[in-house]
Amino acid sequence: QVQLVESGGGLVQAGGSLRLSCAASGRTFSTTDMGWFRQAPGKEREFVAGIRWNGGLTDYADSVKGRFTISKANAKNTVYLQMNSLQAEDTGVYYCSAIRYGIRAPIGSWGQGTQVTVSS
C-alpha cells in the first residue's frame, strides 16, 4: 500500500505563492501517474493537476492553468505543485493521489492533505 504525505500548505495573501510537496512510499512511484486534487469547504473534491509517470505530460484544470505547475521527482519519490498568483478561490485542502493520466480521478489512496488558505 502506497502511503502519501502532503506538506507545504499555509496562509498566504492573494497574489502570493506556495509550493506543495507530496512524498510517496513504495517502489512503483517512478512508473505511476500522479495528480493533485483539492477540496474547498462545502464542496466536493476536484481535480487540479496531473502528470505522466515520467513527467513528460501535464494536465491542468482550467481554473489553475497558467498559474500552477506540477512536477515530479522520481529520484525523491515526490510530486510537487507550484502555485503562483493565488486567489481566494484556491483555498482548500490539497491532496495528492495516483491517477491514470488523462482521467481526472484518483485510483489510489489519499494522504492527510495540506491546508491552503488564501486571504483576499
Side-chain angles (χ1 to χ4, degrees):
Q1 182 81 5
V2 174
Q3 292 190 335
L4 303 169
V5 179
E6 300 93 340
S7 63
L11 174 63
V12 63
Q13 288 188 335
S17 298
L18 284 173
R19 188 196 196 202
L20 306 184
S21 299
C22 169
S25 66
R27 301 177 183 177
T28 61
F29 180 82
S30 62
T31 57
T32 300
D33 301 339
M34 294 293 296
W36 283 96
F37 299 78
R38 68 186 180 188
Q39 188 166 19
K43 295 187 177 181
E44 292 189 354
R45 199 169 299 187
E46 63 177 358
F47 171 83
V48 173
I51 189 165
R52 197 79 169 95
W53 62 272
N54 61 358
L57 291 172
T58 56
D59 178 31
Y60 298 94
D62 287 344
S63 59
V64 307
K65 201 171 293 183
R67 301 188 296 120
F68 290 11
T69 303
I70 187 171
S71 59
K72 193 170 185 273
N74 286 333
K76 296 183 178 180
N77 268 28
T78 302
V79 60
Y80 303 99
L81 186 67
Q82 177 67 42
M83 306 187 296
N84 298 330
S85 302
L86 283 162
Q87 304 167 356
E89 299 74 39
D90 297 316
T91 293
V93 181
Y94 283 70
Y95 303 86
C96 64
S97 179
I99 64 170
R100 187 162 288 113
Y101 184 82
I103 299 174
R104 297 179 169 183
I107 60 171
S109 58
W110 299 107
Q112 84 290 347
T114 186
Q115 175 71 47
V116 172
T117 303
V118 183
S119 63
S120 56

